[in-house]
Amino acid sequence: MDKLGKFKDKIWEFRLWLSKKLWYGRDPDETMAKRFKLFLIVGISLIASGKFLHLAGFPIPNIEPIIPLIMVMGAFSLYMGKSEKWDRIRKYAGIIAIASVFVIDLIFWGVQKIYLFTWPGFIMILLIAKMKDLSFFDKFSDIAVEATITAAVAIILFDIFTAFGFWLLWRPLTLGALYGVFIAQIPFTFYHLGSLIFVPPVVGFGKMVSRVKMRVPVAVKAGAKARERR
């Protein structure tokens, strides 16, 4: 076998090993827990990387995955199996994700007054998400729509809250100045709502990881040969 053929075999063996480690378990219960763990890790990683992209103004300024991902991770129930450690990680996943945003902010921007409003704004979004308690086992179209609407409300509230903070910190404390800040905020919020494009793919990924084949006993007539449906 030539070197290229051996290399392809190694790649194939690695893919099989990786799928067993990350995607499949010894039984449906372990498989589902393993996949939701992967979803959790990917979500936290995307929030952190999304902050880097947002700071770089990519792909489009004001369109970012951070708020949609925080909302989705907080709104959906994630099964982590019987592991107490992973159950604690699940409970505090939103806080872990937001903490990554805080660290990146401090590293790249240092201490800024606006954090008095942006950081509590992220926590507010997580609390709103926790109130939803959605499930990936429901119909995709239903949960995608509900998650998108919730994310839209979260973005609007976040923008209102941070605009109010901008007025308190840097503008004259008059109603006229507050009115001007909110008017100037409208175009930004329309752009920001473009971030909703991230919600359906993330929900779709969550729906995909929840699809685990299980053996279900099927009732048969007396005397008939027993069978199982996958």
Side-chain angles (χ1 to χ4, degrees):
M1 186 181 293
D2 58 12
K3 291 183 179 180
L4 180 59
K6 291 181 179 179
F7 178 74
K8 289 181 177 179
D9 286 344
K10 291 292 184 182
I11 294 295
W12 179 250
E13 289 175 4
F14 175 74
R15 289 175 61 185
L16 289 176
W17 174 84
L18 192 63
S19 67
K20 289 180 181 179
K21 285 290 184 181
L22 299 179
W23 198 249
Y24 295 104
R26 290 168 294 183
D27 53 51
D29 186 80
E30 185 178 331
T31 297
M32 186 174 297
K34 188 174 288 189
R35 291 182 184 183
F36 276 129
K37 290 173 186 177
L38 177 64
F39 177 84
L40 195 68
I41 293 171
V42 170
I44 293 174
S45 301
L46 287 175
I47 288 173
S49 60
K51 185 62 178 179
F52 284 116
L53 294 176
H54 180 58
L55 290 172
F58 179 86
I60 301 174
N62 306 332
I63 297 181
E64 43 79 20
I66 301 170
I67 292 178
L69 281 165
I70 291 174
M71 198 288 305
V72 171
M73 291 181 61
F76 284 87
S77 300
L78 304 177
Y79 176 70
M80 295 291 149
K82 299 176 182 179
S83 171
E84 293 183 3
K85 179 185 72 174
W86 275 100
D87 190 55
R88 286 194 296 270
I89 293 175
R90 176 191 62 81
K91 289 179 180 178
Y92 299 106
I95 299 298
I96 295 171
I98 293 174
S100 69
V101 174
F102 295 171
V103 171
I104 294 170
D105 278 343
L106 290 173
I107 291 173
F108 284 88
W109 287 353
V111 178
Q112 302 289 332
K113 292 181 181 179
I114 195 61
Y115 296 161
L116 294 172
F117 292 90
T118 55
W119 291 0
F122 289 132
I123 295 173
M124 174 183 66
I125 290 167
L126 182 60
L127 294 176
I128 292 172
K130 290 291 186 183
M131 295 171 61
K132 299 302 294 183
D133 194 24
L134 302 178
S135 173
F136 285 120
F137 299 104
D138 293 336
K139 189 177 179 181
F140 171 76
S141 58
D142 293 340
I143 57 177
V145 169
E146 189 165 2
T148 301
I149 292 172
T150 305
V153 172
I155 287 173
I156 292 171
L157 291 177
F158 179 86
D159 286 357
I160 290 174
F161 184 63
T162 52
F164 180 75
F166 180 82
W167 172 70
L168 282 179
L169 294 172
W170 288 293
R171 305 300 294 173
L173 300 182
T174 63
L175 289 178
L178 178 62
Y179 177 77
V181 168
F182 282 139
I183 291 297
Q185 178 70 30
I186 292 175
F188 172 86
T189 298
F190 275 117
Y191 276 113
H192 203 181
L193 287 171
S195 303
L196 297 175
I197 62 172
F198 295 104
V199 176
V202 175
V203 173
F205 178 50
K207 186 70 176 175
M208 182 179 69
V209 303
S210 68
R211 290 176 178 170
V212 178
K213 291 183 178 181
M214 297 184 180
R215 292 183 179 273
V216 180
V218 179
V220 296
K221 293 182 179 180
K225 188 177 181 180
R227 58 194 176 92
E228 288 182 330
R229 177 177 297 169
R230 290 183 66 86

